[in-house]
Amino acid sequence: MPETPPEPTPTDAAPPASGGPVKDDRGEIILWHVPLSRSMRVLWLLNELELPFRLRVMDLRSKDMRGAEYEAIHPVGRAPALQVDGNVIHESGAMVEYLCETRGPHLWRGPGEDGRLGWLDWLHFAETIGQHIANLTQSHLMLRDPATRSLTVMKLETARLGRTLRLVEQTVQGQDWLMSGGFSGVDCAVGWSVWTAGRFTRLSPALQAYADRCTSRPAFRRALPQEGEPQLYDRDFYELPDA
């Protein structure tokens, strides 16, 4: 994982520190984002597409996401939220698909195209990986009192996470990206999941090489937290606690 923060995204100098409705947005694309969370998938894709957008950086540990202003954007109080084409989308997978369909057909597989089924399968499989990452993030980071944690659940989730990664491993052992035609939008979805999974389970050589290919992309590096932004994770790897 890179130690030196990348250069700020050119389209987003000095983003506001909190979310909320943006007045007179003139049809802008706006992403409400928690650094290093699954909203990074969407930020990475926006950078790959070189689209102009406004970034609203959120802090998961602050009250910003539970305030009335952000509730008007995302009633559940989670990130990401994406304003695009006059609407707000609340699911990162839907954001990836919509952005590829409307702004990046070269990263998409449309109805009737070769690879359509595989592209959709990978897009949704990213959430299969993500649910285990979310559970482990909750246990390792949010439940600060060890008495509130279940070591059994943490071990199960770690094992399940490792098992879900096998399908990705089988694919990237024989090719650089998930789709045989090359890098696509599903690599933003699954690639973030694999890279983040490496904080909780040791990646195989094939998976680590895939994660390295993802992190070497300039658009990925621009999606990393900038100096002064809140960070979700405070270490590269989280060991299971002792029994």
Side-chain angles (χ1 to χ4, degrees), residues 4 12-13 34 37 41 45 50 119 154 160 165 170 175-176 198 209 238:
T4 303
D12 182 49
V34 171
S37 77
R41 300 166 172 172
L45 178 59
E50 299 184 338
W119 195 93
M154 295 174 76
R160 288 168 178 162
L165 293 173
Q170 291 170 7
Q175 59 194 44
D176 285 348
Y238 291 83

Side-chain angles (χ1 to χ4, degrees), residues 22-225:
V22 178
K23 298 180 180 178
D24 189 27
D25 55 56
R26 301 176 299 281
E28 290 178 302
I29 296 175
I30 306 169
L31 176 65
W32 286 264
H33 165 62
V34 171
L36 297 181
S37 77
R38 70 184 68 191
S39 62
M40 184 175 167
R41 300 166 172 172
V42 185
L43 180 54
W44 176 10
L45 178 59
L46 287 168
N47 285 322
E48 290 282 355
L49 295 172
E50 299 184 338
L51 295 173
F53 63 94
R54 186 182 301 191
L55 190 66
R56 303 300 296 261
V57 177
M58 312 289 288
D59 186 347
L60 193 63
R61 297 175 178 85
S62 75
K63 297 180 180 179
D64 292 338
M65 300 179 69
R66 298 185 295 277
E69 286 191 352
Y70 189 58
E71 186 176 358
I73 301 297
H74 199 319
V76 182
R78 296 183 181 179
L82 180 72
Q83 178 178 294
V84 59
D85 295 336
N87 296 289
V88 176
I89 311 175
H90 302 103
E91 287 293 326
S92 60
M95 296 171 197
V96 169
E97 183 166 9
Y98 187 76
L99 288 170
C100 288
E101 177 183 351
T102 60
R103 273 100 172 153
H106 60 293
L107 300 182
W108 189 47
R109 300 295 185 276
E113 291 185 31
D114 290 342
R116 167 69 172 178
L117 183 58
W119 195 93
L120 285 175
D121 196 32
W122 281 123
L123 179 66
H124 294 282
F125 191 71
E127 284 305 303
T128 297
I129 308 173
Q131 68 173 333
H132 301 303
I133 292 173
N135 289 337
L136 287 167
T137 299
Q138 177 82 9
S139 294
H140 281 280
L141 279 75
M142 306 305 171
L143 301 179
R144 298 185 180 278
D145 182 355
T148 63
R149 300 172 178 168
S150 168
L151 181 58
T152 300
V153 170
M154 295 174 76
K155 286 182 175 179
L156 283 172
E157 285 298 313
T158 302
R160 288 168 178 162
L161 176 60
R163 188 173 182 83
T164 64
L165 293 173
R166 293 179 189 175
L167 183 60
V168 184
E169 181 179 23
Q170 291 170 7
T171 301
V172 299
Q173 280 177 333
Q175 59 194 44
D176 285 348
W177 304 107
L178 296 175
M179 304 299 296
S180 59
F183 180 85
S184 73
V186 293
D187 289 297
C188 292
V190 176
W192 172 89
S193 298
V194 172
W195 177 70
T196 304
R199 296 184 186 274
F200 302 108
T201 188
R202 302 297 181 185
L203 299 180
S204 70
L207 287 171
Q208 187 60 60
Y210 173 64
D212 290 345
R213 286 193 290 276
C214 291
T215 60
S216 69
R217 297 184 70 86
F220 179 96
R221 293 183 58 81
R222 291 200 300 272
L224 290 166

